[in-house]
Amino acid sequence: MTSSVDPSPAETTAPSADPRVARPPEPGGESATTVVVAFVANGLVAVAKSAAALLTGSASMLAEAVHSWADTGNEVFLLVASKRSRRPADRGHPVGYGREAYVWSMFAAIGLFAVGAGVSITHGVQELLDPEPAEDLGIAYAVLALAFVLEGVSFLQAVRQVRSEARRTRQDPFEHVLQTSDPTLRAVVAEDAAALVGLVIAFAGVLAHQLTGSAVPDAIGSIAIGVLLAVVSLVLVDRNRRFLVGEEVRPAVRDAVLARLLALPTVDRVTYLRIEYVGPRRLYLVASVDLAGEERETAVARRLDELERAATGHPRVAGAVFTVSTPEESSLVPAVDDRNDLSADR
């Protein structure tokens, strides 16, 4: 038995006529809003920080400017991820395009590492080797305060979404951020949290620069911001990697799906259940079920088991589940091709 299951309680989209093609995903309105708010906030902050970095010469301010520009660019990747992953399934992609969200979110995370962390650390090291005094630090303080307000607005929008979803899934908000299958939400929360911490680091660096007259604390602040961005980036890359290669759903989700199957009047038992994420809040399951009634299932079950074992005997077949076709289904015919071995598939 194969089916597409959405763990969300709201099921407003009608299923596809063909059970082998996943039904269209629901609109991702709240996540898209969260990303747009972050994009606007980061864009405004990036312009202000860049101006402050030029006027003051502060290494920490330059690191923060680079940080904000990297975040702004990343929001573009996240918007693309949100849009492309919601494209409906077709014959070429029967489970939809949901995994594109992880691909584009991976690009965003790598960009944060390469641009944000790389430039911040490099500039901080250069400032340590060749320190230059900063000027007009009052401008830096004003921009940092403005940035804290704007980043805070974006962070609060993301936190509201996290808390709402965490309540529905009965999870701790922090746990939900790490485990959610929505990479755009996780990225915005992580980037905004890193931005707020980075602002505190930048403030400390600028203040220490002003009090001591030495550019060393400012340079160290730049390096610290770069290290912070590198850590956040690596966490995001790892989470997207896990979803791309396939990650087991949480036990609570598995139990919920199993309970729904067992509640069907035509199902007596479920003997096999595989569930994988195919996109944000999108699951695809394969199940073996014992049908209700006294039909001659034993012989059919044994025959299917033999077929599955024969299929998985080939080194290129990782797993297989066979079900019984109904009389109304059309027969599939292989294309005319001399290749009749899986070894031809590279």
Side-chain angles (χ1 to χ4, degrees):
M1 173 180 178
T2 59
S3 173
S4 172
V5 175
D6 186 350
S8 172
E11 297 188 358
T12 58
T13 306
S16 169
D18 186 344
R20 291 166 180 77
V21 177
R23 68 181 187 174
E26 295 178 355
E30 191 171 8
S31 292
T33 300
T34 299
V35 176
V36 169
V37 171
F39 174 78
V40 173
N42 284 322
L44 293 174
V45 169
V47 172
K49 287 179 180 177
S50 297
L54 290 174
L55 293 174
T56 63
S58 167
S60 294
M61 285 305 304
L62 179 59
E64 275 297 294
V66 172
H67 178 182
S68 292
W69 282 118
D71 282 352
T72 304
N74 288 345
E75 308 311 333
V76 175
F77 282 122
L78 297 180
L79 288 172
V80 173
S82 179
K83 181 178 180 180
R84 292 181 67 89
S85 66
R86 293 201 305 271
R87 288 184 296 171
D90 52 39
R91 290 292 178 182
H93 297 82
V95 295
Y97 293 82
R99 286 193 178 99
E100 282 218 41
Y102 306 120
V103 175
W104 289 95
S105 297
M106 181 79 82
F107 291 160
I110 293 173
L112 185 66
F113 179 85
V115 178
V119 173
S120 298
I121 294 174
T122 300
H123 183 72
V125 172
Q126 291 174 344
E127 192 69 16
L128 280 177
L129 298 176
D130 185 19
E132 295 182 4
E135 302 174 350
D136 299 324
L137 294 181
I139 297 175
Y141 293 131
V143 169
L144 288 173
L146 173 63
F148 200 89
V149 172
L150 293 175
E151 296 284 8
V153 170
S154 176
F155 184 68
L156 288 177
Q157 165 62 27
V159 167
R160 278 194 291 268
Q161 182 179 348
V162 167
R163 287 179 175 173
S164 174
E165 294 182 4
R167 281 195 298 268
R168 292 199 298 267
T169 58
R170 298 178 182 178
Q171 287 181 288
D172 175 78
F174 180 76
E175 180 186 14
H176 179 71
V177 169
L178 288 178
Q179 295 189 355
T180 179
S181 60
D182 184 353
T184 59
L185 175 61
R186 178 168 40 251
V188 171
V189 172
E191 289 175 3
D192 285 349
L196 293 174
V197 174
L199 289 171
V200 174
I201 295 174
F203 173 80
V206 172
L207 180 62
H209 188 162
Q210 184 179 30
L211 294 177
T212 63
S214 170
V216 171
D218 200 10
I220 293 176
S222 178
I223 295 173
I225 291 170
V227 172
L228 172 67
L229 296 182
V231 171
V232 170
S233 174
L234 292 176
V235 170
L236 294 177
V237 166
D238 181 66
R239 293 305 296 149
N240 285 300
R241 177 190 62 82
R242 288 172 179 266
F243 281 104
L244 281 172
V245 301
E247 182 173 16
E248 185 179 7
V249 298
R250 293 185 298 111
V253 175
R254 181 182 176 83
D255 290 343
V257 173
L258 182 58
R260 286 197 178 193
L261 289 175
L262 293 174
L264 297 174
T266 56
V267 175
D268 270 349
R269 297 184 305 133
V270 177
T271 59
Y272 174 87
L273 181 60
R274 186 191 67 174
I275 310 173
E276 65 176 297
Y277 286 102
V278 293
R281 303 180 185 84
R282 300 283 291 168
L283 303 178
Y284 199 79
L285 70 90
V286 179
S288 292
V289 300
D290 183 11
L291 300 177
E294 296 298 328
E295 300 180 47
R296 294 180 177 270
E297 292 184 57
T298 304
V300 175
R302 294 188 188 281
R303 191 75 60 83
L304 291 177
D305 181 68
E306 293 173 0
L307 289 172
E308 291 166 4
R309 292 177 185 275
T312 53
H314 192 285
R316 292 198 173 221
V317 178
V321 175
F322 288 85
T323 58
V324 179
S325 302
T326 62
E328 295 80 13
E329 292 181 282
S330 301
S331 300
L332 301 179
V333 179
V336 179
D337 198 322
D338 293 332
R339 295 175 298 174
N340 57 8
D341 194 328
L342 285 178
S343 60
D345 180 14
R346 301 298 181 188

